[in-house]
Amino acid sequence: MKTFAKTDPDRPMQLQDAVWVDPARMSGVPCFRGTRLPVQQLFDWIEDGIPLDEFLRDFQVDRRAATAVLRAGASAVCAAATRNPNCAAGS
């Protein structure tokens, strides 16, 4: 399963290109685009200490898609912690 990019391979992928949500599939759980792999799986693997490269290899996820998800997660934590929605905008 490869996630499909609509963007230039040399540019960071936007979250909307990396993730899809369809209420009729996977109960609306956010998944990597083009797959049925929940984005939560990435965070679970990292929490378990499994290297990102192993996740990418085992699930054949595009590195730019995983990076977009991680950036969004970091922004969400930053915004929640500081109550500033733009605190991680440059990350």
Side-chain angles (χ1 to χ4, degrees):
M1 289 184 279
K2 276 282 189 197
T3 54
F4 301 102
K6 295 179 183 177
T7 59
D8 180 340
D10 295 328
R11 293 177 47 172
M13 187 179 289
Q14 298 299 309
L15 187 62
Q16 64 268 19
D17 294 326
V19 175
W20 69 294
V21 176
D22 181 348
R25 294 184 119 186
M26 299 293 292
S27 302
V29 170
C31 292
F32 285 97
R33 187 166 298 283
T35 76
R36 289 179 172 248
L37 177 64
V39 297
Q40 181 62 46
Q41 188 75 26
L42 171 59
F43 293 101
D44 293 345
W45 276 50
I46 290 172
E47 181 181 15
D48 289 344
I50 300 169
L52 177 60
D53 285 336
E54 189 171 332
F55 175 86
L56 299 175
R57 183 187 66 243
D58 287 0
F59 292 105
Q60 298 179 350
V61 170
D62 184 302
R63 178 177 294 278
R64 293 174 311 124
T67 300
V69 167
L70 293 171
R71 275 194 325 263
S75 292
V77 168
C78 185
T82 65
R83 297 183 185 197
N84 176 356
N86 298 314
C87 71
S91 303

